[in-house]
Amino acid sequence: MQEYIVDGRVPGTVCVIARQGKVVYADARGSRDVAGGAPMTEDTIFRIASMTKPITSVALMMLYEEGAFQLFDPISKWLPEFSEMNVAVPSEGAQVGLPYYTVPAVRPITVEHVLTHTAGLANSYRGLTRYEYDEIGTALSEDETVADYLKRLAELPLNFQPGERWEYSRATCVVGRLVEVMSGQTLDAFFRERLLEPLKMKDTHFYLPPEKLDRFAAQYQPGPNGDLLLQDPASMDSRWLRQPQVCFMGSGGLVSTAADYIRFHQMMLNGGELDGVRILSPKTVQLMTVNHTGNMEIWLRGPGAGFGLGYSVITDQGAAQTISNEGTYGWGGAYCTYFWVDPAEEMVAVMMTQVRPYTHLNIRQDFNVLAYQAIVE
């Protein structure tokens, strides 16, 4: 980690590893604000982006345990805007982004589809509707609710028939909206009352309280000369503090600390319980962390991985080229945060930093190797 900081590739890091129920490594180094010189500390608060997705998925599965739905239920039972979906089909000889025609979806989008990213929803990554998605401004903005956004998203054709491929999208925004409709609460209120307060995750929020601003990390992007350029400040100008604070994005809206996040996944490793507080049953945790996508290509993760309900899952250690055991589950965030849970090693690991893009870095993979090589028994 120090090498990455000294080389100026990341501003600083916080790394925490728990094994057999105990934190065995916690380290903070570098800066949370390069210009100001504020040091990174173990209680620094980070934008965790897509590491919000597992928390949103757990919230929905809590309602599953209460009998609110089955995985095969159509989401249109709660979100009627998804009732009659069409699928984009390329015109003969067309390339991505060129004209397409639509056909009716042969099956409804189910709850399992949105939990596993197999619904076919339009997105900014891939698919025939990618450019249309960008052009019509369908991306979620901070001054609208997720409910408003999903009504517009549902107007676009799907990229493929539901259940036939894996494709990353804002599907977990749908998961979060399902939580809201089924529970009658905002996602913010549900998280706070049912997850964050019971698990003592005191520094996890959709919007950072101003009194915690002095622990908030600035976010950077790589500069042209190998330096770091400020992208989102650790100030009241940050999107994570600005009003109106109505956008509770289940796919990527939370800020958190490494300590809070490792508590959440220690709960998952424990089979749904932490410090006497039960969130899920062990059987539901098992259901969430097995592969639901068969041999579909999980292109964002690479070979040797499948996808569960909110998590990628290692299915073939050799093909995945990873030191993690098969059955390890986890995910990362757009600002280079990263975590995994390895049941075989009774291990949870979290790494936080704030750089985007980060695909030119091996820091997440290096952290993975460094953590495992320390296991010598």
Side-chain angles (χ1 to χ4, degrees), residues 212-353:
K212 297 184 179 184
L213 184 58
D214 62 348
R215 292 193 283 129
F216 193 37
Q219 186 251 311
Y220 297 88
Q221 63 182 1
N225 302 313
D227 52 350
L228 292 171
L229 302 178
L230 183 66
Q231 192 169 45
D232 188 67
S235 74
M236 293 299 295
D237 291 328
S238 172
R239 167 254 183 272
W240 278 265
L241 286 100
R242 285 197 303 264
Q243 297 296 328
Q245 302 192 355
V246 296
C247 178
F248 306 126
M249 189 169 61
S251 64
L254 290 177
V255 298
S256 188
T257 61
D260 272 12
Y261 205 78
I262 210 159
R263 283 186 64 80
F264 185 86
H265 279 100
Q266 186 66 55
M267 174 274 294
M268 291 294 286
L269 180 59
N270 291 351
E273 178 274 335
L274 183 67
D275 296 340
V277 174
R278 181 157 294 282
I279 301 298
L280 293 173
S281 77
K283 293 301 293 182
T284 304
V285 173
Q286 179 187 36
L287 176 64
M288 293 185 69
T289 57
V290 297
N291 181 27
H292 286 244
T293 55
N295 294 321
M296 294 179 188
E297 179 192 6
I298 313 300
W299 53 263
L300 199 56
R301 178 62 182 83
F307 211 86
L309 306 181
Y311 296 92
S312 67
V313 183
I314 301 299
T315 57
D316 185 325
Q317 186 178 13
Q321 298 181 326
T322 180
I323 197 169
S324 295
N325 290 294
E326 292 172 10
T328 295
Y329 56 94
W331 201 239
Y335 305 110
C336 201
T337 57
Y338 176 57
F339 82 97
W340 74 86
V341 180
D342 186 338
E345 295 292 349
E346 301 178 77
M347 182 182 192
V348 185
V350 175
M351 185 205 73
M352 302 286 205
T353 190

Side-chain angles (χ1 to χ4, degrees), residues 193-206:
E193 296 174 18
R194 301 287 302 273
L195 285 168
L196 305 180
E197 290 180 358
L199 291 173
K200 296 182 173 60
M201 296 171 64
K202 57 185 175 58
D203 289 322
T204 302
H205 309 276
F206 274 110

